[in-house]
Amino acid sequence: VEGEGLSRLVLSMDELKARFRQHSITATVQCSGNRRNEMKRVKPVKGLDWDQGAIGTAVWTGVLLRDVLLAAGGSSDVT
């Protein structure tokens, strides 16, 4: 990690795991306009054939970027 106002910080995966608390965040994304079933009427389209309203959910687990930036001397004003 390096940048304006930060001290250069190099961390291995093991150091990230040891120094920072792990968080899990669930995120859901909704596609409200791709509508591949309509697009394929114009030309062939790869992928699943969905209509409006396709939804996907994933769980991301790891350390928070905010925590890493703070460790590199970043401002604590960021929430």
Side-chain angles (χ1 to χ4, degrees):
V1 177
E2 60 183 281
E4 188 175 328
L6 300 176
S7 301
R8 188 168 189 274
L9 180 63
V10 178
L11 299 164
S12 69
M13 186 64 71
D14 288 337
E15 289 171 316
L16 285 170
K17 291 176 181 179
R19 288 183 59 179
F20 302 99
R21 189 171 143 232
Q22 179 175 292
H23 297 266
S24 291
I25 298 171
T26 303
T28 300
V29 178
Q30 177 184 2
C31 175
S32 60
N34 195 334
R35 297 164 42 167
R36 287 185 183 168
N37 65 339
E38 293 175 9
M39 292 169 56
K40 74 179 184 182
R41 293 180 200 151
V42 177
K43 68 177 188 175
V45 178
K46 292 182 181 180
L48 299 174
D49 187 22
W50 67 63
D51 199 354
Q52 61 186 355
I55 297 175
T57 300
V59 178
W60 176 87
T61 300
V63 301
L64 297 178
L65 177 59
R66 179 184 190 277
D67 293 344
V68 175
L69 292 175
L70 287 172
S75 172
S76 61
D77 295 338
V78 178
T79 56

